[in-house]
């Protein structure tokens, strides 16, 4: 997940004078700004070109929409709940280089699609600045990516 939007929102809220400056916790304004930025990010992410419907995913995977929905519920693939109805899925997860890592990652992140998606799309110094998805696509071993995910979860 791209953290720059969250950091920017937090910094803007921090720039406002507050009597809570001495507190170790985020102020109400900072928290509100982060929540707004997060909601905006999720809306934009679901509208991205690489996000597909369950019908499109079923066609891509040569199966049915019912099966894709079952995969989402069981943690076999990443599906984020769409605001209107159903799910949106990142198309790239069905690539052979990524597919084998998806189910173990979803399980590691407690079947939380947004956390899994964030992990796969956030650049990391452990992969020389690449995100985990790009690393998998470029041949980095699934075991290495899973080890990074385990370290992040714990």
């Amino acid at each position: 997940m791209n953290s720059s939007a969250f950091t920017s929102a937090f910094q803007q809220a921090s720039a406002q004078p507050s009597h809570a400056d001495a507190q170790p916790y985020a102020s109400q304004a900072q928290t509100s700004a982060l929540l707004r930025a997060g909601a905006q990010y999720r809306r934009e992410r679901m509208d991205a070109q690489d996000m597909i419907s369950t019908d499109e995913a079923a066609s891509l995977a040569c199966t049915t929409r019912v099966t894709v929905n079952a995969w989402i519920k069981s943690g076999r693939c990443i599906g984020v709940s769409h605001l209107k109805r159903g799910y949106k899925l990142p198309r790239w997860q069905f690539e052979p280089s990524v597919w084998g890592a998806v189910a173990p990652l979803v399980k590691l992140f407690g079947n939380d699609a947004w956390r899994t998606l964030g992990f796969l799309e956030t650049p990391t110094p452990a992969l020389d600045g690449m995100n985990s998805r790009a690393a998998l696509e470029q041949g980095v071993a699934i075991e290495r990516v899973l080890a990074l995910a385990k370290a992040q979860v714990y």
Side-chain angles (χ1 to χ4, degrees), residues 38-106:
Q40 179 65 29
Y41 169 80
R42 287 179 181 210
R43 280 191 300 276
E44 290 171 2
R45 185 65 191 94
M46 282 192 284
D47 291 338
Q49 292 295 318
D50 68 334
M51 297 298 273
I52 59 176
S53 69
T54 51
D55 288 325
E56 292 168 308
S59 177
L60 192 64
C62 299
T63 190
T64 66
R65 180 180 48 81
V66 172
T67 298
V68 171
N69 281 322
W71 288 350
I72 293 166
K73 289 178 182 156
S74 70
R76 184 170 175 191
C77 69
I78 303 165
V80 294
S81 187
H82 194 268
L83 297 174
K84 297 174 187 169
R85 182 179 84 84
Y87 296 94
K88 295 286 267 194
L89 301 87
R91 176 186 307 270
W92 46 258
Q93 74 180 306
F94 297 102
E95 293 295 325
S97 58
V98 178
W99 181 246
V102 172
L105 286 169
V106 172

